[in-house]
Every structure is written in structure tokens, then in C-alpha cells.
Amino acid sequence: MAKVFGFFKECGAELRKVTWPTRDDVVASVKVVLISTIIIAVVLGALDFLFSAGMSLIFKA
């Protein structure tokens, strides 16, 4: 049991050494991720539409 407590004590010591990002850094990163996700979704949606339209022209049902 002493090893378990020692492990958690060492984990706490390591977490105190971490340089945590500021709120502004986190907000900026979240904005980049959201904008990138939206752009990729729009591009993939447009490609899907174009390929679907092209396939329906080629293989008229």
C-alpha cells in the first residue's frame, strides 16, 4: 500500500512541474480547432455533393 501512496505523491510532484497553458492560450487553440473543423467539413461536403452529382450524371437511373 505504501507503493500506491508513493506513486500518487510522485504524480502530484510531477504535476506541479507542468507549465499549464493560460486561459487565452486555450481559447485561441479551441478557436483554431473549431474553424479548421468547419472548413474541412465544408470542403468534404462540397466534394461529396460534386461526386454525387457527377455519378448521377454518369449513371442515370
Side-chain angles (χ1 to χ4, degrees):
M1 198 63 172
K3 287 185 177 183
V4 173
F5 287 121
F7 171 76
F8 285 112
K9 185 177 178 182
E10 290 177 19
C11 286
E14 289 297 320
L15 284 173
R16 282 189 286 279
K17 294 179 187 178
V18 173
T19 303
W20 296 99
T22 63
R23 179 180 170 85
D24 292 336
D25 291 340
V26 173
V27 169
S29 296
V30 168
K31 286 179 184 176
V32 168
V33 169
L34 289 176
I35 291 170
S36 300
T37 302
I38 291 169
I39 290 171
I40 295 296
V42 168
V43 168
L44 289 177
L47 286 173
D48 181 53
F49 175 77
L50 290 174
F51 286 136
S52 296
M55 288 296 139
S56 66
L57 287 175
I58 294 172
F59 302 108
K60 291 188 181 199

